[in-house]
Structures are given as structure tokens and as C-alpha cells.
Amino acid sequence: KTLVDFVYIAVHGRYAEDGTLQGFLGVLQIPYLGSKVLGSALGMDKILQKEILKFHKVPVAHGIHLYPHEIISYQNKIDSLNDRLKKENLSFPLVVKPAQEGSSLGVRVIFKKEKLWEALDYACHIHEKISQPVLIEEKLEGMEYSCITLFDHKRNKPLLLPPTEVVIEKESHIHDYDQKYMPGRAQKFTPARCSEKTLKNIQKTCLQAM
């Protein structure tokens, strides 16, 4: 603390966005940029995050989650898992994603049950040293966007930036890792090419989530 006045957090991924670094700086009483420990932790745990959002009436994709021991039990019983999905009114295509990663790591879109367990195993073990829960969700169709939501502490009010529309590559089904970080891949339009009413609705929902 005697050497550092303020930390501008620009580190990415596990231990940087999940509350770990934030907690470390908090213990040292060093101020830092961005969400605090709880907000960061919820932001990187999709299972808890969905429960919090649902509780506050923020719409989320319909789906289920499986823990690593459940995934193992379905290895040779994919029909049982498929029956469970049907009972939950989940039908293909489905999005399979690890619960505790960012940047679309481990995310796959599955169109038939024969590929389901492979996608579950892949998502569960996308981090080579840590097994993690996996979400299976409906695939939502429509415009993809990002919307940065800040808080202006001087004026004591939120600062909502214009939503950016993301147009993924034609042969892809999601905005994957390469499209996010490699130059010249997915196209982006700011503001998003939609009605003013839709833009306001996006900002309202993002503010509610924040």
C-alpha cells in the first residue's frame, strides 16, 4: 500500500475477473477499478449468476446445470440425459458451456444427442486442472450485442454506453474465442442496428443486471 495508489485491473480470466484479485487488493486496502468481490465472483459463476438474475426478474436462457459427478454418470447413458432434457422442455440445438469460464472458452452448440456427452466432457475439463459444472441451455436466436454499463460516482448515476451489435461469421453458431480476439473476424456496429425502443430496452436490462 505504501507503493501503490490505485490498481487499474486489465488482467483477464480466472483469478483476475472472479473476485480473487479483487479480494487480494481489498485485504491490502488498495483501491482498484471495476466490480468488487461479490459482483466479480457472480459474474464468473454462471449458475449463481442466473439464480440471482432470475430472482430479480431479469430474463435468462432456459436450461439446466450438471456437476462433474453427474456428467460422468451420463457417459454411457445419454438417452437418460436426453429424457431429462425433454422433461425440461429443452430441445436441440442446445448450448453447452462451462459454468466458470469467460471468453466463450469450452462453449459448443450441439445439434444432436450423439454429440452431447462429448461437449459436456469438453466443457467440464476445459481447464486442465479443475473440473467444473456445465450448463445446458436453449439456443436463443436474435441479435447478439454487448453493452458496457458504468457508474459515474461524481454524478452518482449510471452511465449507459450505446449497445454494440455483434455479427458473427456465417459458418459459426456463436461468438467464439477467435472471433472475439483475432483481428478482422466478427463485425461490430455501434450503435446496434435496431430500433430506439430496442436500444433502450437493452440498456435498461443491462442496468438492472448491474
Side-chain angles (χ1 to χ4, degrees):
K1 186 170 175 59
T2 58
L3 299 174
V4 179
D5 296 313
F6 182 84
V7 172
Y8 185 106
I9 298 179
V11 196
H12 212 50
R14 188 180 290 272
Y15 309 125
E17 295 178 277
D18 62 2
T20 305
L21 179 56
Q22 291 79 1
F24 177 68
L25 293 171
V27 169
L28 296 177
Q29 297 183 314
I30 297 174
Y32 56 87
L33 179 74
S35 300
K36 304 307 179 200
V37 176
L38 179 59
S40 300
L42 286 174
M44 289 294 283
D45 189 317
K46 296 177 182 68
I47 295 172
L48 287 175
Q49 180 190 119
K50 284 184 71 173
E51 292 302 314
I52 294 291
L53 292 175
K54 282 193 290 185
F55 181 81
H56 289 282
K57 311 301 182 189
V58 178
V60 296
H62 177 54
I64 64 170
H65 59 268
L66 302 174
Y67 292 98
H69 71 276
E70 294 179 284
I71 294 169
I72 293 171
S73 71
Y74 282 124
Q75 182 171 6
N76 297 310
K77 299 177 181 177
I78 203 66
D79 285 333
S80 297
L81 177 56
N82 201 43
D83 290 341
R84 178 175 173 183
L85 294 175
K86 287 179 180 177
K87 289 178 182 177
E88 293 287 342
N89 294 317
L90 290 166
S91 58
F92 295 93
L94 295 167
V95 180
V96 177
K97 63 177 77 167
Q100 296 159 350
E101 300 294 337
S103 300
S104 299
L105 289 171
V107 181
R108 287 183 176 176
V109 179
I110 305 302
F111 292 88
K112 51 187 179 180
K113 69 176 183 180
E114 288 77 14
K115 296 288 185 180
L116 188 54
W117 193 85
E118 178 187 332
L120 286 170
D121 185 56
Y122 177 69
C124 180
H125 300 103
I126 190 65
H127 189 291
E128 60 182 16
K129 295 181 180 179
I130 301 172
S131 298
Q132 61 185 290
V134 175
L135 292 91
I136 306 174
E137 296 178 329
E138 62 180 330
K139 186 177 188 299
L140 299 174
E141 300 296 339
M143 182 182 71
E144 178 144 1
Y145 62 85
S146 62
C147 184
I148 296 171
T149 310
L150 305 174
F151 193 84
D152 186 336
H153 286 279
K154 287 186 177 179
R155 295 182 176 87
N156 196 37
K157 66 178 184 179
L159 177 63
L160 304 169
L161 300 191
T164 292
E165 177 186 357
V166 179
V167 181
I168 63 174
E169 295 171 338
K170 289 184 178 180
E171 65 273 16
S172 179
H173 301 292
I174 59 165
H175 190 208
D176 59 28
Y177 185 92
D178 287 344
Q179 290 181 73
K180 285 181 177 179
Y181 301 114
M182 296 298 105
R185 300 295 296 268
Q187 288 185 296
K188 299 177 181 68
F189 297 89
T190 307
R193 301 173 299 175
C194 58
S195 68
E196 188 67 24
K197 182 180 179 181
T198 300
L199 288 174
K200 295 294 184 185
N201 190 39
I202 289 171
Q203 291 178 316
K204 179 184 176 182
T205 304
C206 289
L207 177 61
Q208 191 180 359
M210 177 190 172

